[in-house]
Amino acid sequence: MVFKLRHPLNGHIYSALPDAFVEVDKNGKTGIFDRYGAWVSGDVRTADPEMCRWVGTHEKAVVSRHASGFGRSHASTPTPSAKEV
């Protein structure tokens, strides 16, 4: 079963994919984003970065939190530099 969340304001569907990627479905059009909300591929080119982080690293997502770069404490996770995003 895929972990999915509906955005509370616009209703778009955010679905967890392997390796901390997130698929965003906006009325039938989709896009793939990394856990920071940066566009990877697809027709949809914008997404809520907080929703991407939540879905892409959630404990019920298709990868472990450790594999996606998160340990038990989010405070120890470095913020990506501008070059990484």
Side-chain angles (χ1 to χ4, degrees):
M1 180 174 199
V2 175
F3 178 72
K4 296 181 181 186
L5 284 178
R6 181 179 300 275
H7 194 286
L9 299 177
N10 59 30
H12 301 148
I13 305 297
Y14 287 68
S15 305
L17 298 175
D19 298 324
F21 288 104
V22 177
E23 179 184 68
V24 178
D25 184 328
K26 293 183 176 182
N27 304 317
K29 292 186 178 184
T30 60
I32 306 297
F33 299 84
D34 68 11
R35 68 176 181 193
Y36 301 110
W39 179 80
V40 176
S41 67
D43 294 329
V44 175
R45 297 186 62 100
T46 60
D48 181 334
E50 289 301 319
M51 287 289 289
C52 289
R53 182 168 32 193
W54 180 257
V55 172
T57 60
H58 193 273
E59 62 190 25
K60 293 183 181 176
V62 293
V63 297
S64 72
R65 293 162 60 92
H66 176 71
S68 62
F70 282 81
R72 290 198 178 267
S73 171
H74 292 276
S76 65
T77 305
T79 304
S81 68
K83 291 179 183 178
E84 293 175 322
V85 176

